[in-house]
Structure formats: C-alpha cells, structure tokens
C-alpha cells in the first residue's frame, strides 16, 4: 500500500483551495535501470475528488505527470467543515483513499 | 458457472474485495480503460492525434483561459503548471505537451462546474509548447505556453 496522501484544503471566501501530494513513482515505461533494462510503466491512472459528498473532479493521468504528483484545484461553493475525499488508482490496480476537512482560511 | 463473476457479484460494491481482485491480477484496470472513449487520446503519440482523440477539433484561443508556467524549466522531470479558467461552466480540462512521446498528460472532468483553477506538475522530454484545452458549453478553448527545458525528464 502506498504512503498516505498529504492533503490541505483551505477556504477563501466560498472557494476551497485543495492541494494534494500523492506518493507514487509514476514510472513512464521509458526509463532504463542501472542494468539497462526498461522499467515497466507504473503510474496513477485515475483520480477523483469529492467535496461534501459531491464529485467535483474526475481525472485521468498519463505518464507525463511528475513523480509524487502534486495537484491543486480551486472549487467554488465550499464551506468550512466540508469533507474532502481524494482517491487514486494506478496501473497495477493499487489504490488509496484519503480525506480531510475544509478549514477556514 | 463463471466463478470469478460470482465472486465479484457477491462482493457487490465492496471496494476492498475489488482491490484484492485487482491485486490478484484477476481484474486488470487496463480492461476498465478499454471501454474508455478517451483511450485513443491517451495513447496517441502525436499532438494532432491526441487532439482528435479528445474530439477537440481546432480549439479557439481565449483570453479567459490562462496557462501559467515557467519560461525555462531547468529540470524537465518536474515542471509546475497552473491553469485558470474564467470561462463560465468549464466542464473539462486537458493538458498536453506537444513534444512528449505521449502528448496528453492529463484530462480532468469537473462535474460540479465550480472548478476555476488547476495546478499540476508535468514531466517534459524536451523544449516544447504546453497547451491547456478547456471545454465549456460544447466548445473548446486553448491556451499555450512555450517552455524551454534544460534537462529532459522522460527517458532519464
């Protein structure tokens, strides 16, 4: 199981500024290891974010997203105390879900 | 009787069981992807094909779509980009790197329509233009930014 995500969600006015750091190697399948063998592709393929029970972001990633991906989204219509749940699934079928609550900024 | 299917049906929506099935390799996430209409866009090795896969056609330039990125990226493995969409009712956003082996980096759908700003970090193989393609009200808009890369971040 992958390391927990680091999530921060701050409220500015009615907009939640959600930032997340996911721990993942995000192998592209194009890199070679020390022995000159190709490292197989292994990357996060799907992400989703729900705010107060409503899905606000559903994303698909490709190999061009950096290692340990960082994402930020500003979502309108949020209030303090709203629950933020973030979920990802990678190409090996590993997945992880973490959550936090929106804090007044 | 197909046993795998039975197990899965019994499991219902139990995520943990599904996860263990994924882990056991019985269910490959690749199969889920096979039913994905955007698969062609993600596997496209050229910019034109990727845009076609998104059915974006020729998107219009818009001043309301802003792509903030550095002019020079010393390390192509981590290039921060920020996309601000002031177009009302933006429903999806794709980020493409023209000269990457697979140009389409990510595609996000905003179901609530309330997302105004997206931040991500990309890998870039070499100096290239980066484009943000946003969809709003059935129309596509684009913003681009040229980024010079000193050390590429794809092959290593």
């Amino acid at each position: 199981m992958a390391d927990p995500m680091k999530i921060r969600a701050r409220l500015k006015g009615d907009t939640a500024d959600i930032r997340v750091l996911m721990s993942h190697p995000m192998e592209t399948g194009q890199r070679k290891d020390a022995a000159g063998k190709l490292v197989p592709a292994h990357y996060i393929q799907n992400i989703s974010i729900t705010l107060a029970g409503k899905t606000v972001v559903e994303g698909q990633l490709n190999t061009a997203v950096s290692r340990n991906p960082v994402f930020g989204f500003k979502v309108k219509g949020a209030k303090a105390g709203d629950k933020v749940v973030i979920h990802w699934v990678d190409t090996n079928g590993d997945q992880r879900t973490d959550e936090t609550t929106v804090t007044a900024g | 009787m197909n046993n795998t299917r039975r197990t899965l049906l019994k499991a219902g929506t139990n995520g943990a069981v599904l996860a263990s099935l994924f882990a056991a390799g019985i269910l490959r996430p690749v199969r889920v992807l096979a039913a994905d209409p955007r698969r062609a866009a993600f596997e496209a090795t050229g910019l034109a094909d990727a845009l076609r896969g998104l059915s974006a056609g020729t998107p219009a330039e818009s001043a309301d779509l802003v792509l903030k990125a550095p002019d020079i990226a010393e390390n192509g493995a981590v290039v921060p980009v920020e996309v601000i969409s002031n177009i009302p009712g933006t429903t999806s956003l794709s980020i493409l790197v023209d000269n990457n082996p697979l140009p389409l980096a990510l595609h996000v759908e905003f179901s609530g329509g309330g997302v105004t700003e997206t931040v991500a970090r990309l890998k870039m193989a070499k100096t290239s233009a980066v484009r943000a393609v946003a969809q709003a009200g059935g129309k596509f808009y684009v913003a681009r930014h040229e980024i010079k890369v000193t050390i590429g971040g794809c092959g290593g």
Side-chain angles (χ1 to χ4, degrees):
Chain A
M1 182 59 90
D3 289 336
M5 288 177 240
K6 284 183 187 151
I7 312 174
R8 199 191 68 192
R10 279 208 194 122
L11 196 69
K12 279 174 203 155
D14 72 334
T15 302
D17 186 356
I18 302 170
R19 300 260 163 167
V20 56
L21 187 150
M22 306 169 178
S23 281
H24 202 279
M26 296 297 284
E27 285 295 349
T28 60
Q30 307 198 21
R31 194 174 67 87
K32 289 186 176 134
D33 65 12
K37 274 195 198 152
L38 274 182
V39 180
H42 177 211
Y43 56 96
I44 296 177
Q45 208 161 29
N46 289 287
I47 58 168
S48 72
I49 303 178
T50 64
L51 178 68
K54 262 175 48 187
T55 302
V56 287
V57 175
E58 267 191 299
Q60 292 168 290
L61 315 187
N62 212 343
T63 53
V65 174
S66 74
R67 204 173 139 215
N68 297 333
V70 168
F71 292 103
F73 296 99
K74 285 195 179 162
V75 189
K76 277 188 192 164
K79 51 187 191 301
D82 278 356
K83 199 153 125 185
V84 177
V85 182
I86 304 185
H87 176 75
W88 60 250
V89 185
D90 74 15
T91 47
N92 287 2
D94 289 335
Q95 50 186 314
R96 173 140 203 120
T97 307
D98 286 292
E99 57 180 65
T100 189
T101 49
V102 177
T103 54
Chain B
M1 181 71 68
N2 183 332
N3 280 329
T4 315
R5 189 179 140 84
R6 283 298 106 196
T7 321
L8 190 63
L9 284 176
K10 261 188 236 159
T13 51
N14 188 330
V17 175
L18 273 176
S20 66
L21 283 174
F22 276 130
I26 296 166
L27 278 175
R28 301 291 299 170
V30 175
R31 280 199 207 149
V32 179
L33 196 72
D36 185 338
R38 273 180 297 276
R39 189 183 180 194
F42 274 100
E43 289 177 349
T45 51
L47 182 73
D49 286 343
L51 284 172
R52 204 172 305 132
L54 292 168
S55 28
T58 38
E61 302 250 346
S62 168
D64 290 330
L65 184 67
V66 184
L67 173 62
K68 280 191 196 167
D71 294 326
I72 296 173
E74 278 180 20
N75 182 0
V78 185
V79 183
V81 295
E82 190 178 336
V83 183
I84 302 162
S85 176
N86 296 319
I87 304 166
T90 303
T91 50
S92 81
L93 177 76
S94 311
I95 298 177
L96 300 102
V97 184
D98 290 18
N99 292 341
N100 263 9
L102 300 167
L104 183 57
L106 70 142
H107 175 87
V108 279
E109 303 260 336
F110 307 135
S111 13
V115 179
T116 53
E117 212 177 300
T118 305
V119 176
R121 288 185 188 169
L122 308 178
K123 288 192 199 101
M124 291 180 65
K126 55 187 173 199
T127 298
S128 167
V130 174
R131 328 169 169 236
V133 177
Q135 187 183 6
K139 281 187 182 159
F140 287 91
Y141 301 90
V142 67
R144 20 173 310 152
H145 190 98
E146 198 80 32
I147 303 178
K148 249 192 186 120
V149 175
T150 324
I151 306 166
C154 267

